[in-house]
Structures are given as structure tokens and as C-alpha cells.
């Protein structure tokens, strides 16, 4: 698959003066709820109305979606408001039903993108359609898997393709529900600069308080649009309650968001700077994680030394270790001064920790 300017034709045809916005509830719950939210979003910056009707749940027993009847409600929302309608498809049968009800935009969820068999089955079922198809990143931070999914759809002759960045899951507890790892969508954007790229701050944050900030970050990184879960009564939503915003909050968010021009030199500078700083912030978090892990190992050694009644410091080991690290570090282009200062600090902290353990 090659980048071509035609990849963004479908987006250009919206003729928007602002980023594309897809909004609506995580899940369709009742006909009234679907219609009520749709009417509240009508005449706003929202072009596409979303609602999940088949919900992939992590564990059985959660709300699994209303199913086919929800397609009827979405269709009615389109007739009454004029917005295009979107839903998630995860099987060939979902595609068949969505096409029967003339759903305009189909998206492939993160759990589905992670499975090439499932993506291929969906691509085969979509063959020949002129619907807009958006593919979310896989749950795991794997650009090749995401690209593979995009290519499967492209090879099925889907002309109106786009991607949604919804963050990546991690076992580590962070302030995000799904860590953004911005470098991955940025790499994708570098490969396919004309492929419409949409950010899903709802699933990245998992928390409505952070949606504004992540939306702005995405626009600063030249994302083409946003998909934001919007509910008339977020706290009582049947799924993803914590991350949904009201239509009113969404409209306020539009007023506060700053869109940046792509082709002005100073803007360009700012965007690059922002990209690099985000990258640095992510690396720094990794450095902290690694330091924390190192200290856990240090503690294990401390316990071992205590059991065997051995002194905390073995000077030979420390001197040999430092020589080796200086050699490795200077080979990587780091200055000797910096390495010595850094590792003396790390070593000091390790000794302090072991002292506590040995004396406990
Ligand atoms: C959704 O958009 O409601 C959804 C289930 O998202 P994801 O596939 O990103 O988890
Ligand atoms: Mn959701």
C-alpha cells in the first residue's frame, strides 16, 4: 500500500473548517437514549453519530450491547438529525447487518484489530462497499499489526479508509486507561501522511477530566479528527461511564480547542517541539520504571546479604561495575562525567536501601 492524496478524499468531501468529530454514546441503550443524544448533538461540530451495539467485553456478564435493534435506532437518528451514523463491527455477520441498515461508517475495534483472522473476515465481508471504514489500533503497541489490518482493508478495495488511535493497554497502572504512546501514531502518520488519523481521547484517558487535554495534544500533532464518547447521563451509562461527557460539555470542549495550521513555519516548529517533548516525556517515564525495577532487585540482594550476614558494600564489585558502565556508556556517546555522576547517585540510593534492609 502506497500513500496517495486520494486517501483523504472522503475526509475533504466533508468540507469542514474544523477537525472531523464523531460523537455519541459508548453503547446504544434504548431508542429514547439514542435519539435524545443525537438531537442534542445536532447543529454542532459533530458530523458522525456513533453508538456501539455489539460490545466486546473483557469478561462475560458485562453489558454486551443491544444488538440488531440498535441499528434501527441509529437509522432513525440519521433520518431525524442528518448526521451520518457509525457503529463497531467485529464479525462478517455484523458487517452484513450494518450494510443492510445502511450504516455510513463502520469501525473495527481494538480487540478485533489484534486478530488478523477476524480482520480478514471483516475485510472479505466489506469487499466492494463504499462505506467509510475506520480501523482502531490493536490493544497492544504493535505498529506492524495495525498496518497489517489497514492493508487487509485496502486490499479488499475499501477506498474510504481511516485510522483511530485509542491508546495501548499495559499491565502497569498509569493515569491513562490506555497509554497514548504518541510515537506509534506519529510513525504511522509519517508512513501514510494522507491517511485520515482520528484520536479517541475517551478510550485513551478512561476519564472525562482528561479528555480536553488529550484532544488538544492530538490536534497539536496534526490529527484530522476526534471520536468522543458522549452520553446524556454519563454517570449512569451502561458502559464506560467514567469517560463519557455530556453533549453540553462536548460543545464547550469545541470552543476551547485550538486548531493549528499545518503549514506555517512557526507552527511547524511548535508541532515538532511538541512531538519531541511528548517523546521525551514517554522516555522519562520508562527511565523511572526501570530505576524502580532496579531498586527492587537491589532490595532482593539486600535481603540475601542480611541472611548471610554479608556487608552492604563490596568495593571490588562497585569499581568493576563502574569501569564497565563507563566503557559501555562512552561507546554510546554519553560523557564520562555524566555516567559517573548518574551511577554514583544510583549506587548511593541502592546502598541506602540495603542499609535499611540489613538494619531492619
Ligand atoms: C468503543 O469505541 O466503544 C470501543 C469498544 O473501543 P475500543 O475498541 O477502542 O476499546
Ligand atoms: Mn467505550
Amino acid at each position: 500500500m502506497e500513500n496517495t492524496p486520494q486517501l483523504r478524499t472522503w475526509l475533504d468531501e466533508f468540507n469542514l473548517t474544523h477537525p472531523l468529530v464523531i460523537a455519541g454514546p459508548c453503547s446504544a441503550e434504548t431508542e429514547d437514549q439514542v435519539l435524545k443524544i443525537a438531537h442534542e448533538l445536532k447543529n454542532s461540530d459533530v458530523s458522525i453519530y456513533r453508538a456501539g451495539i455489539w460490545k466486546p467485553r473483557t469478561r462475560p456478564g458485562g453489558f454486551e450491547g443491544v444488538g440488531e435493534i440498535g441499528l434501527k435506532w441509529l437509522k432513525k437518528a440519521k433520518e431525524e438529525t442528518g448526521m451520518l451514523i457509525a457503529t463497531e463491527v467485529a464479525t462478517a455477520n455484523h458487517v452484513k447487518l450494518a450494510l443492510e441498515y445502511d450504516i455510513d461508517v463502520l469501525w473495527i475495534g481494538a480487540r478485533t484489530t489484534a486478530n488478523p483472522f477476524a480482520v480478514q473476515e471483516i475485510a472479505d465481508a466489506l469487499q466492494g462497499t463504499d462505506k467509510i471504514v475506520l480501523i482502531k489500533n490493536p490493544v497492544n503497541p504493535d505498529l506492524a499489526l495495525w498496518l497489517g489490518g489497514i492493508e487487509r482493508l485496502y486490499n479488499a478495495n475499501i477506498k474510504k479508509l481511516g485510522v483511530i488511535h485509542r491508546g495501548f493497554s499495559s499491565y502497569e497502572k498509569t493515569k491513562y486507561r490506555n497509554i497514548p504512546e504518541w510515537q506509534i501514531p506519529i510513525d504511522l502518520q509519517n508512513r501514510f501522511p494522507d491517511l485520515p488519523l482520528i484520536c479517541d481521547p475517551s478510550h485513551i484517558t478512561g476519564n472525562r477530566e482528561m479528555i480536553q487535554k488529550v484532544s488538544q495534544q492530538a490536534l497539536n500533532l496534526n490529527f484530522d479528527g476526534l471520536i468522543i464518547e458522549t452520553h446524556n447521563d454519563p454517570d449512569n451509562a451502561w458502559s464506560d461511564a467514567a469517560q463519557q461527557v455530556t453533549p453540553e460539555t462536548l460543545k464547550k470542549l469545541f470552543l476551547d480547542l485550538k486548531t493549528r495550521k499545518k503549514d506555517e513555519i512557526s507552527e511547524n516548529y511548535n508541532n515538532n517541539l511538541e512531538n519531541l517533548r511528548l517523546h521525551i516525556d514517554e522516555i522519562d517515564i520508562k527511565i523511572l520504571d526501570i530505576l524502580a525495577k532496579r531498586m527492587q532487585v537491589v532490595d532482593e540482594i539486600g535481603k540475601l546479604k542480611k541472611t548471610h550476614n554479608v556487608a552492604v558494600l563490596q568495593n571490588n564489585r562497585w569499581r568493576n561495575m563502574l569501569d564497565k558502565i563507563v566503557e559501555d556508556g562512552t561507546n554510546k556517546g554519553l560523557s564520562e562525567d555524566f555516567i559517573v555522576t548518574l551511577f554514583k547517585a544510583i549506587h548511593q540510593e541502592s546502598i541506602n536501601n540495603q542499609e535499611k534492609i540489613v538494619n531492619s
Side-chain angles (χ1 to χ4, degrees):
M1 175 177 165
E2 294 283 314
N3 183 68
T4 65
Q6 283 74 37
L7 283 174
R8 57 182 310 111
T9 305
W10 68 264
L11 179 62
D12 292 340
E13 283 171 354
F14 278 89
N15 269 320
L16 300 173
T17 53
H18 54 76
L20 177 74
V21 184
I22 306 171
C26 175
S27 303
E29 298 167 5
T30 64
E31 180 169 355
D32 279 355
Q33 173 245 19
V34 168
L35 294 175
K36 186 172 193 318
I37 303 168
H39 278 280
E40 288 181 27
L41 292 176
K42 191 180 149 185
N43 301 327
S44 70
D45 283 357
V46 179
S47 304
I48 303 172
Y49 186 58
R50 66 152 280 158
I53 61 168
W54 297 289
K55 301 302 297 177
R57 307 315 303 207
T58 305
R59 297 180 64 190
F63 172 57
E64 293 189 336
V66 293
E68 184 176 347
I69 189 152
L71 295 171
K72 235 184 239 166
W73 306 339
L74 275 173
K75 210 167 165 213
K76 200 160 170 193
K78 174 170 155 176
E79 285 157 9
E80 292 186 11
T81 67
M83 289 184 286
L84 298 187
I85 45 176
T87 202
E88 173 174 346
V89 289
T91 67
N93 192 47
H94 293 166
V95 172
K96 182 173 152 279
L97 288 169
L99 295 180
E100 270 171 31
Y101 284 84
D102 207 18
I103 303 293
D104 305 288
V105 180
L106 295 85
W107 83 80
I108 297 180
R111 291 159 193 78
T112 308
T113 309
N115 178 353
F117 287 122
V119 177
Q120 190 59 53
E121 181 187 310
I122 294 168
D124 292 344
L126 281 166
Q127 188 99 33
T129 172
D130 69 343
K131 301 295 184 189
I132 298 167
V133 182
L134 305 175
I135 181 155
K136 287 194 161 195
N137 61 263
V139 279
N140 50 322
D142 184 339
L143 179 58
L145 194 56
W146 198 2
L147 287 169
I150 297 164
E151 283 162 355
R152 284 176 201 279
L153 295 168
Y154 185 80
N155 292 343
N157 214 14
I158 312 285
K159 297 274 190 302
K160 300 180 181 171
L161 264 186
V163 289
I164 300 176
H165 169 231
R166 49 78 80 197
F168 301 91
S169 79
S170 149
Y171 192 60
E172 315 266 338
K173 282 269 159 286
T174 73
K175 64 179 174 173
Y176 297 104
R177 177 176 177 194
N178 292 290
I179 305 172
E181 305 266 22
W182 293 103
Q183 199 54 45
I184 295 179
I186 290 168
D187 286 348
L188 178 67
Q189 199 179 37
N190 287 336
R191 296 273 271 278
F192 298 108
D194 287 306
L195 183 63
L197 172 61
I198 293 165
C199 179
D200 177 345
S202 308
H203 289 89
I204 288 178
T205 62
N207 160 5
R208 66 179 73 100
E209 306 305 323
M210 289 162 68
I211 287 184
Q212 168 93 35
K213 182 158 183 267
V214 169
S215 300
Q216 185 64 61
Q217 283 180 335
L219 297 187
N220 295 349
L221 297 173
N222 296 326
F223 276 60
D224 300 291
L226 299 167
I227 175 167
I228 300 181
E229 288 188 340
T230 312
H231 195 286
N232 56 315
D233 183 7
D235 285 334
N236 292 306
W238 296 3
S239 58
D240 289 352
Q243 71 196 30
Q244 303 209 53
V245 295
T246 60
E248 206 186 356
T249 306
L250 186 74
K251 289 181 204 166
K252 180 162 181 318
L253 183 135
F254 295 152
L255 294 176
D256 293 343
L257 282 178
K258 292 181 203 55
T259 43
R260 296 191 194 279
K261 285 180 260 154
K262 286 186 187 177
D263 53 3
E264 205 166 289
I265 295 161
S266 61
E267 295 286 346
N268 213 344
Y269 162 77
N270 280 326
N271 287 341
N272 279 337
L273 193 65
E274 184 77 22
N275 281 1
L276 293 167
R277 285 183 175 158
L278 282 165
H279 197 179
I280 290 272
D281 290 350
E282 285 176 357
I283 291 173
D284 286 349
I285 288 188
K286 286 182 183 152
I287 292 177
L288 290 175
D289 282 342
I290 287 186
L291 284 174
K293 280 190 189 129
R294 187 190 197 280
M295 289 307 158
Q296 282 166 11
V297 179
V298 163
D299 287 359
E300 288 304 309
I301 296 181
K303 286 180 204 152
L304 202 62
K305 286 179 178 170
K306 181 179 163 80
T307 313
H308 293 269
N309 201 22
V310 175
V312 163
L313 182 62
Q314 280 76 46
N315 262 316
N316 278 351
R317 156 78 183 155
W318 163 236
R319 263 197 308 275
N320 294 342
M321 185 186 128
L322 194 60
D323 287 348
K324 175 89 176 61
I325 283 171
V326 167
E327 189 190 336
D328 288 349
T330 47
N331 284 341
K332 287 182 196 288
L334 302 170
S335 79
E336 181 167 344
D337 269 1
F338 169 64
I339 301 165
V340 171
T341 310
L342 178 66
F343 275 85
K344 277 192 174 161
I346 292 175
H347 189 237
Q348 186 58 58
E349 174 79 352
S350 306
I351 287 178
N352 295 349
N353 282 3
Q354 288 193 353
E355 288 283 8
K356 276 189 215 135
I357 291 172
V358 169
N359 293 334
S360 66

